[in-house]
Amino acid sequence: MTKIFNDPAEFAEEALAGFCDVHSDLVRQVSGGAVRRYRPAQPKVAVLAGGGSGHYPAFSGLIGTGLADGAVVGNIFTSPSAQQAYSVAKAAESGAGVVFTYGNYAGDVMNFGMASERLAAEGIAVENVLVTDDIASAPPSETEKRRGIAGDFTVFKVLGAAAERGDSLAEVVRLGRKANRRTRTIGSAFAGCTFPGAEAPLFSLPDGQMGLGLGIHGEPGLHDTGLPSAKELGQELVGRLLAETPESAGERIAVILNGLGATKHEELFVLWGTVAPLLRAEGYTLVMPEVGELVTSLDMAGVSLTVTWLDEELEPLWVAPAETPAYRRGNAARETGGAAVEGTSDGGASAADFDATEASRGYAATCVAAIEAARTALHEAEERLGRMDAIAGDGDHGRGMVRGVDAASAAASAALEQGAGAGDVLAAAGDAWADKAGGTSGVLWGAGLRAWGESLGNAEVPGPRELAAGVAAFANRIVQLGKAETGDKTMVDALLPFTAAFSRLVAEGTGQAAAWEEAAQAAAGAAQATAALLPLKGRARPLAEKSLGTPDPGATSLAMIFAVIGPHVTGAAVPPGPSVREPVGAQQQ
Ligand code: ADP
Ligand code: MG
């Protein structure tokens, strides 16, 4: 929905004026659109992109060295007039001819065609390069009927780079048409866009639906399907594009994963995580791929995938530098002289040499089983914990705990397999928990588990007193880091009653299994009692009043975990077999 406008009818013009003001170092507003601020030193072919507004950064955002010489700017989703095209061409032309380039739409074809006739009559050499990349818009036997969508960008880039290096008009046009013949795009829409001032989007999709084969003027997809996962979407887009691989295609491709305006970059990166490996698996080398917004459709939610099959002529033009308001491609980063670093790095240590007694390794297996029990319980409680956190917090407690315990469980199992003792297993679990969980509770659980592991060591199987010391180390670390006090309405409100009860019972000579069980009940009661408290720490504090009547999520999850790990850590449970990990998440789907 567009919120910032004056008269909706003036929107495109006002936007262009603002754009030209902010980028006045690179562009200059002229009648009908905008052109580069600086005239070329030598005559060069003027590449003029155009079409309606509503597609930023297409088309005015692409004016600059290595790309367009000017943009002809129509109203929203409306072809510019022949007069506009003519006057922009007159402003940009420097004696080597003009090429108009645009997506294949009837209005554009007519208006740019008429402007071309007028320019030609004045003796200016002029050509038109139409973009027809959208494979959903006509069958392969009628490619000339296809409309232009995000493939505009690769075609413009090739034209712009060829003109910049001084190619003749005929050569620029030949290369541009070749790029177009080797470019394919397929898109999908999730939600329609809304014109400034309009009350409803141009189309809408039922919840959970996606339109495959979108257009960039708010045209919905050509057919609707259920909303797939990112992975399925990536497979669908790649599959459809590769089915149209041009003849004589090589192994090097330019790729654009384009957002339509309301689809976040993060979503595009998630999708890229499927798209890129699929293309590489087909033997392709991805040359300077682009993921972002290059050709949008107002605030439409959707994506498109474009592939241009490069060859030895097109690749240098695709990778050539460009500097425009919305798009910069340089070689500064590569020219700094340092060597490129290969591979990814998480800064983590490699498998440590673990030093542990057999007894401690045995107890380590029990710890792994305890974490596994916590994992099962947290997966079951994920949604409930999230709802509790959403009342006054941000709703992520269930998700955070699940991420944390999943990572902890995997790390603990891996450490055990490498021969770690119990202390190292808990420390590894804690580090992984803190790394993956995020959130306040993640840091605290992670650091607490590591402290517990350090207290435990890798030699002895803990008796009641060592167990009490381990739990105390866990609690102290959490209090030291989080600085919460009893009554602040945090997990500490369940944790401290647990440690107090367990130490007391153990000191009184109660068996550790029974002591644990009784202490866990105290923690559960204390967690429940936090319902009456106002949060004084953490994210729930600003909305404290709202949280009255609901127990603290962190205290609730802590009490729950302590209840289920008891039989394991106290040795009351039967020791587990070698393979205890079940895909718990799968049961939740
Ligand atoms: P975030 O608050 O970062 O979204 P979570 O939602 O995972 O993290 O965890 C929230 C829980 O963290 C709260 O319910 C509370 O129990 C606990 N918590 C928040 N701040 C503190 C603190 N300073 N000390 C101890 N526990 C805290
Ligand atoms: Mg939270």
Side-chain angles (χ1 to χ4, degrees):
M1 200 82 166
T2 305
K3 309 281 187 195
I4 301 178
F5 59 91
N6 298 306
D7 178 352
E10 305 291 327
F11 183 85
E13 216 163 296
E14 291 180 6
L16 178 64
F19 164 80
C20 289
D21 182 84
V22 73
H23 293 295
S24 59
D25 56 330
L26 291 173
V27 304
R28 175 170 73 90
Q29 189 167 3
V30 296
S31 170
V35 297
R36 289 192 200 174
R37 165 67 58 192
Y38 298 100
R39 304 274 307 162
Q42 310 286 329
K44 75 177 277 289
V45 172
V47 175
L48 303 178
S53 297
H55 304 301
Y56 192 87
F59 302 95
S60 51
L62 305 177
I63 300 172
T65 313
L67 251 157
D69 293 83
V72 188
V73 182
N75 218 323
I76 293 181
F77 296 168
T78 309
S79 167
S81 68
Q83 174 60 35
Q84 285 184 289
Y86 170 81
S87 68
V88 172
K90 290 289 278 187
E93 179 282 313
S94 62
V98 168
V99 51
F100 288 126
T101 181
Y102 45 90
N104 181 28
Y105 299 93
D108 292 298
V109 173
M110 282 189 283
N111 283 303
F112 284 106
M114 276 159 31
S116 301
E117 284 173 15
R118 228 176 123 185
L119 291 164
E122 292 180 18
I124 296 172
V126 52
E127 293 280 359
N128 286 245
V129 173
L130 277 65
V131 185
T132 55
D133 58 313
D134 180 9
I135 64 170
S137 57
S141 55
E142 299 176 73
T143 49
E144 73 290 348
K145 291 192 181 159
R146 287 181 170 173
R147 58 192 178 191
I149 51 176
D152 280 354
F153 185 82
T154 47
V155 177
F156 296 173
K157 179 72 182 60
V158 164
L159 289 165
E164 200 69 53
R165 72 179 177 196
D167 286 7
S168 70
L169 178 60
E171 188 62 359
V172 169
V173 168
R174 183 184 69 79
L175 291 163
R177 293 200 176 129
K178 184 185 202 183
N180 180 55
R181 278 197 307 279
R182 298 167 74 96
T183 298
R184 310 273 187 275
T185 300
I186 177 80
S188 64
F190 312 121
C193 55
T194 308
F195 267 66
E199 283 180 357
L202 289 176
F203 67 91
S204 50
L205 285 160
D207 269 356
Q209 291 279 293
M210 170 184 94
L212 197 69
L214 59 77
I216 54 166
H217 302 101
E219 299 99 330
L222 300 178
H223 57 263
D224 293 354
T225 66
L227 194 60
S229 67
K231 198 168 184 174
E232 291 161 345
L233 177 58
Q235 288 163 344
E236 174 94 43
L237 297 178
V238 169
R240 285 184 182 254
L241 272 194
L242 295 189
E244 288 225 15
T245 304
E247 279 171 30
S248 78
E251 284 157 10
R252 298 177 69 78
I253 52 177
V255 188
I256 297 176
L257 190 59
N258 177 58
L260 269 292
T263 296
K264 292 184 293 299
H265 282 68
E266 284 91 339
E267 295 178 271
L268 297 177
F269 292 132
V270 168
L271 185 55
W272 185 251
T274 295
V275 165
L278 283 177
L279 290 171
R280 291 189 188 113
E282 292 294 321
Y284 286 114
T285 300
L286 282 46
V287 181
M288 296 187 93
E290 295 288 345
V291 177
E293 292 186 348
L294 291 164
V295 183
T296 62
S297 184
L298 288 175
D299 55 350
M300 179 148 145
V303 294
S304 64
L305 177 65
T306 300
V307 169
T308 300
W309 280 264
L310 300 169
D311 65 4
E312 66 292 345
E313 281 194 316
L314 297 178
E315 182 165 337
L317 300 167
W318 170 245
V319 304
E323 185 177 4
T324 76
Y327 182 79
R328 274 154 224 243
R329 167 175 289 176
N331 17 32
R334 277 177 287 162
E335 281 173 358
T336 50
V341 180
E342 299 298 333
T344 54
S345 163
D346 59 6
S350 50
D353 279 4
F354 291 115
D355 197 4
T357 63
E358 270 320 298
S360 181
R361 286 195 181 118
Y363 187 66
T366 321
C367 293
V368 168
I371 296 170
E372 206 42 44
R375 183 164 172 260
T376 306
L378 284 169
H379 273 266
E380 275 163 16
E382 176 179 351
E383 210 198 311
R384 184 164 57 89
L385 293 171
R387 270 188 272 113
M388 287 172 100
D389 188 30
I391 288 174
D394 54 1
D396 64 352
H397 186 63
R399 195 81 276 271
M401 292 297 285
V402 161
R403 285 172 65 100
V405 78
D406 283 355
S409 155
S413 297
L416 177 64
E417 243 164 66
Q418 291 164 19
D424 284 334
V425 159
L426 284 188
D431 292 351
W433 191 312
D435 185 31
K436 291 292 185 310
T440 314
S441 61
V443 187
L444 297 175
W445 267 94
L449 281 177
R450 168 164 269 285
W452 189 337
E454 283 166 1
S455 151
L456 190 54
N458 298 294
E460 310 288 328
V461 173
R465 248 186 281 147
E466 292 76 25
L467 201 50
V471 175
F474 175 83
N476 290 342
R477 187 79 179 108
I478 286 176
V479 169
Q480 178 207 0
L481 271 179
K483 302 193 171 50
E485 291 170 15
T486 301
D488 284 351
K489 193 162 185 170
T490 71
M491 59 166 133
V492 165
D493 288 317
L495 179 55
L496 295 186
F498 180 94
T499 47
F502 188 66
S503 310
R504 177 177 51 78
L505 289 163
V506 163
E508 286 167 8
T510 313
Q512 60 182 2
W516 191 286
E517 206 179 317
E518 198 177 326
Q521 278 164 13
Q528 199 55 43
T530 59
L533 297 173
L534 283 174
L536 299 178
K537 280 272 183 324
R539 274 181 219 265
R541 191 183 47 75
L543 294 171
E545 299 285 338
K546 272 192 147 179
S547 110
L548 267 186
T550 307
D552 176 62
T556 307
S557 59
L558 184 133
M560 202 177 75
I561 293 169
F562 271 68
V564 299
I565 64 175
H568 299 283
V569 293
T570 59
V574 185
S579 174
V580 289
R581 282 172 58 83
E582 291 284 321
V584 182
Q587 298 165 9
Q588 303 288 313
Q589 301 296 309

